[in-house]
Amino acid sequence: MTAPLDFVRAAPASARGMAAEVLQGLTAERKTLPPKLFYDAAGAELFERICLLPEYYPTRTELSILRARAGEIAALAGPRCALVEYGSGAGVKVRLLLNALEAPVAYLPIDISREQLARVAGDLAADYPGVAVLPIAADYTQPLELPPLPAGARRLAFFPGSTIGNFHPAEAAAFLTRIRRTVGPGGAMILGVDRRKDPRVLRAAYDDAAGVTAAFNRNILARLNRELGATFDLERFAHRALFNDRASRIEMHLVSLADQVVDVAGTRIAFAAGETIWTESSYKYDAARLDALVTAAGFTVARLWTDEDERFWVAFLRA
Ligand code: AVJ
């Protein structure tokens, strides 16, 4: 079955909804922007470049685990899976699963970057003619309904990349709880999780020598200028990445380099020199934190795989 691309289900991405969310973050006591705003077309491309950086180990490490364990994963998953991927991105990792799974029936990529989603869905539909490819253009942090799935399909959620790290712990548990309900009893989930490690390794991964992560972080301001007519001067905001040890998270910020006032969708936002916009958290898990998360969401860990440097986990969870 091929994917009719007009089937790409568009969540209404209104500029007004975006402005409201942006202004809420920028008028708060501690200024924030939601990391999902990184992924416009330019940001999705920058993220693909990040994944190739020598300092950014998560992508290649997770891929190596998936490659080594695809057979074991497929055996745990069983036949006739409907694979639901939260944040399908460039669509590279899922191929390892689709190649290994026994007679997968459907693939439902969910992504907020709709140009990339349409391209990836078209390519996968062409390469896997036996799999119904049903792309969903949506912000998966919001509740969403899946289209009807082939009868007898086992629901298998796939949330790779350690994107779970973007959620604060309580939100992460709530999100995984929602996924557990979506896959239902008998369903399962494959989750990628970045592990706690030497802060120097972590910091380098989020502040690379080539400056790609800095460009990715600043692109959020360029996007607000483009889409909301904001007046950010990109030269007057610097990229900063730090490891917050107590919270066990990398934080990315954009630091205002001067006292300045920026117009955002008709609202004047004042920045003091040194004040930051907190754009992303990337939580790093140890065994206790992972166990607390999985338990809170009502899953159990069936298997946990890591790499030889113990940098990353791929977990197989059962509802
Ligand atoms: C896509 C959320 C997994 O947190 O490592 C990469 C995004 N931010 N470099 C991460 C990101 C800066 C990435 N996730």
Side-chain angles (χ1 to χ4, degrees), residues 5 15 21 70 90 111 118 145 178 204 224 254 256 299 301 307 312 314:
L5 287 184
E21 202 172 355
D111 208 279
E145 235 180 273
R178 194 141 51 72
L224 299 186
L254 288 162
S256 176
F299 278 109
V301 178
D307 55 292
F312 201 92
V314 173

Side-chain angles (χ1 to χ4, degrees), residues 38-39 47 50 56 58 160-166 194 205-206 213 216 252 280-282 284:
F38 287 134
Y39 302 96
F47 182 66
I50 287 175
Y56 194 74
S162 200
T163 306
I164 191 65
N166 276 178
D194 197 19
Y206 292 84
T213 308
F216 175 72
M252 293 210 313
E280 186 177 49
S281 297
S282 198
K284 305 304 170 187

Side-chain angles (χ1 to χ4, degrees), residues 57 194-199 201-202 243 310-312:
Y57 61 86
D194 197 19
R195 300 179 64 169
R196 256 180 89 93
K197 59 184 64 66
D198 185 336
V201 174
L202 290 171
F243 184 62
E310 305 192 332
R311 289 182 160 187
F312 201 92

Side-chain angles (χ1 to χ4, degrees), residues 39-282:
Y39 302 96
D40 65 351
E45 260 176 55
L46 284 165
F47 182 66
E48 282 185 53
R49 284 176 57 197
I50 287 175
C51 292
L52 301 174
L53 293 169
E55 296 96 332
Y56 194 74
Y57 61 86
T59 309
R60 76 177 66 88
T61 306
E62 183 180 48
L63 275 168
S64 77
I65 299 170
L66 290 173
R67 225 173 261 128
R69 306 297 185 170
E72 289 170 56
I73 293 171
L76 284 169
R80 291 181 306 282
C81 281
L83 195 56
V84 183
E85 183 170 11
Y86 294 82
S88 44
V92 173
K93 293 165 189 168
V94 72
R95 288 173 181 268
L96 296 172
L97 297 182
L98 290 174
N99 293 342
L101 287 169
E102 185 185 342
V105 293
Y107 172 51
L108 294 84
I110 308 169
D111 208 279
I112 198 162
S113 183
R114 62 187 63 224
E115 299 88 348
Q116 193 183 36
L117 177 69
R119 197 172 354 105
V120 165
D123 290 351
L124 281 159
D127 293 348
Y128 296 89
V131 178
V133 178
L134 310 172
I136 303 168
D139 168 8
Y140 58 71
T141 65
Q142 301 302 311
L144 57 94
E145 235 180 273
L146 299 184
L149 297 177
R154 295 168 198 253
R155 294 178 176 210
L156 176 62
F158 183 38
F159 192 34
S162 200
T163 306
I164 191 65
N166 276 178
F167 296 80
H168 297 298
E171 296 171 356
F175 179 59
L176 288 196
T177 301
R178 194 141 51 72
I179 294 179
R180 177 177 53 77
R181 296 204 179 105
T182 300
V183 298
M189 172 170 204
I190 300 163
L191 178 67
V193 181
D194 197 19
R195 300 179 64 169
R196 256 180 89 93
K197 59 184 64 66
D198 185 336
R200 286 168 300 185
V201 174
L202 290 171
R203 277 196 305 269
Y206 292 84
D207 194 6
D208 61 280
V212 182
T213 308
F216 175 72
N217 199 6
R218 280 206 198 85
N219 176 60
I220 211 168
L221 302 181
R223 178 179 187 178
L224 299 186
N225 288 350
R226 278 193 299 269
E227 294 184 26
L228 299 179
T231 60
F232 285 101
D233 177 352
L234 271 59
E235 305 283 287
R236 296 171 94 192
F237 286 88
H239 168 67
R240 180 190 291 161
L242 59 94
F243 184 62
N244 180 332
D245 183 69
R246 265 225 316 175
S248 198
R249 68 185 177 217
I250 284 281
E251 296 178 10
M252 293 210 313
H253 294 262
L254 288 162
V255 188
S256 176
L257 297 177
D259 292 336
Q260 54 184 319
V261 176
V262 178
D263 189 292
V264 181
T267 299
R268 288 163 61 82
I269 310 286
F271 290 88
E275 188 179 0
T276 82
I277 308 172
W278 183 7
T279 51
E280 186 177 49
S281 297
S282 198

